[in-house]
Amino acid sequence: MEEIIVTIPRERPFGAVAGFVLGGVAARQGLTIDVLDDLHVALDSLLDREGTGDGAVTVVLRPGTGSVEASIGPFDRATVAELEHEAADERLGLRRLLTTVVDSVALSDREDGCWVDLHKTYALTAEVH
């Protein structure tokens, strides 16, 4: 499976770079605008949580036939805690938002910290050239 890896500074304006890469992958895979929007919402929601941190964040995209997987990280404990526990009140928490726009959300511990793994499936609409 092909991997596209983008490492960007955590400052807010650089999240657009990851969005452009995602758009390129979407165009090459023939994703619908709805699928692309869902992936953008998931990516933006995660990157916004780390807007004031130091260092870099890495986005790994793995496009496949009928699905896209993404790993984003590393994240701090506050973001991980928000993903581990759904908000008890009526507000839209990060976990609820992510599970609304992607098929699965998982946390994975790695040497450099905690990463968020996303999986989104989609129906193939036409042959991509």
Side-chain angles (χ1 to χ4, degrees), residues 15-42:
V17 173
F20 290 137
V21 172
L22 177 60
V25 169
R28 204 171 81 203
Q29 294 297 114
L31 301 181
T32 65
I33 193 71
D34 292 336
V35 172
L36 177 58
D37 283 345
D38 287 348
L39 291 169
H40 266 291
V41 166

Side-chain angles (χ1 to χ4, degrees), residues 67-80:
S67 71
V68 176
E69 294 178 7
S71 296
I72 303 104
F75 288 100
D76 64 10
R77 292 304 315 159
T79 302
V80 172

Side-chain angles (χ1 to χ4, degrees), residues 15-118:
V17 173
F20 290 137
V21 172
L22 177 60
V25 169
R28 204 171 81 203
Q29 294 297 114
L31 301 181
T32 65
I33 193 71
D34 292 336
V35 172
L36 177 58
D37 283 345
D38 287 348
L39 291 169
H40 266 291
V41 166
L43 183 61
D44 289 346
S45 297
L46 285 165
L47 294 178
D48 282 349
R49 295 301 194 275
E50 289 292 311
T52 60
D54 293 331
V57 64
T58 300
V59 177
V60 180
L61 298 170
R62 289 177 296 281
T65 304
S67 71
V68 176
E69 294 178 7
S71 296
I72 303 104
F75 288 100
D76 64 10
R77 292 304 315 159
T79 302
V80 172
E82 187 176 356
L83 281 167
E84 289 176 331
H85 306 288
E86 183 58 61
D89 58 15
E90 293 295 318
R91 67 187 174 106
L92 181 64
L94 181 58
R95 170 146 312 262
R96 186 178 303 172
L97 181 119
L98 291 176
T99 57
T100 299
V101 297
V102 297
D103 298 314
S104 69
V105 178
L107 299 174
S108 60
D109 287 318
R110 301 183 187 176
E111 281 184 22
D112 58 350
C114 189
W115 286 59
V116 178
D117 299 317
L118 307 173

